[in-house]
Amino acid sequence: NKAFTLVELIVVIAILAIISAILMLQIKPASILQKGRDSKRTQDVDTMAKALNLALAEGEVTLTANSSSCTSCTSSTGTQAVDGSGYVKFVIPSGKTGLSKYIPTLPLDPTNTGSYVYKFGSTTSDFELNAVLEHTENSSLMSTDGGNSNAILEMGSSLTIL
């Protein structure tokens, strides 16, 4: 007889379950998910800031004055439209294409609830984009970005608007 007994199979399955449980505790999947969402937030805000800077430099958009009192200037309350009616507010000069020349739509925060939303504020000459990062290892990114809040990732041409 060259078959495994039921007891041997149960022992092997139990050992594999214990190893799997130990690996799951070491890997910390929640932490990995937080880091992944933070990476997307950082990339999204950077992409939007670069697109806005290019659009401003090339005269594709003109900023309008709006600040933290703007109720539709967050990714959870505004739309993803890149025509100035989305959560990033601006005016498209006559004969120009606006922000759609650089990005197809405004990104949404990976969770897009509570404090985890993208925020936009601007004067007629400067803008600020904000995001809150989840993972504690990313707190240094928020505290060293040059902005006026150590708990928010801030990018733009002026980091004191919001």
Side-chain angles (χ1 to χ4, degrees):
N1 282 337
K2 294 190 177 197
F4 292 107
T5 65
L6 182 60
V7 172
E8 290 172 327
L9 290 174
I10 290 174
V11 168
V12 169
I13 291 171
I15 290 171
L16 289 174
I18 291 170
I19 291 172
S20 296
I22 291 170
L23 284 175
M24 289 301 287
L25 291 173
Q26 293 298 319
I27 292 175
K28 299 178 184 172
S31 175
I32 290 172
L33 290 173
Q34 287 176 337
K35 287 181 182 179
R37 288 189 296 265
D38 284 352
S39 177
K40 179 159 179 17
R41 288 180 181 108
T42 304
Q43 182 182 14
D44 284 349
V45 173
D46 184 54
T47 298
M48 284 191 293
K50 287 177 180 175
L52 272 167
N53 280 323
L54 282 170
L56 288 167
E58 295 178 0
E60 291 288 335
V61 300
T62 303
L63 293 174
T64 59
N66 62 70
S67 63
S68 57
S69 62
C70 177
T71 57
S72 62
C73 294
T74 71
S75 59
S76 67
T77 58
T79 69
Q80 290 181 274
V82 290
D83 60 2
S85 67
Y87 67 88
V88 174
K89 306 293 185 198
F90 56 85
V91 174
I92 301 174
S94 177
K96 299 292 184 172
T97 58
L99 207 53
S100 63
K101 182 177 178 180
Y102 310 98
I103 55 176
T105 62
L106 296 174
L108 292 177
D109 183 274
T111 59
N112 211 37
T113 57
S115 63
Y116 300 111
V117 295
Y118 299 140
K119 293 180 183 174
F120 175 78
S122 65
T123 64
T124 56
S125 59
D126 292 304
F127 70 93
E128 180 178 351
L129 291 157
N130 290 348
V132 176
L133 304 180
E134 288 179 77
H135 200 276
T136 55
E137 287 181 12
N138 293 324
S139 60
S140 64
L141 287 174
M142 295 184 289
S143 62
T144 61
D145 61 11
N148 59 349
S149 175
N150 289 336
I152 298 172
L153 177 67
E154 301 163 283
M155 291 187 187
S157 55
S158 175
L159 304 183
T160 58
I161 296 171
L162 295 175

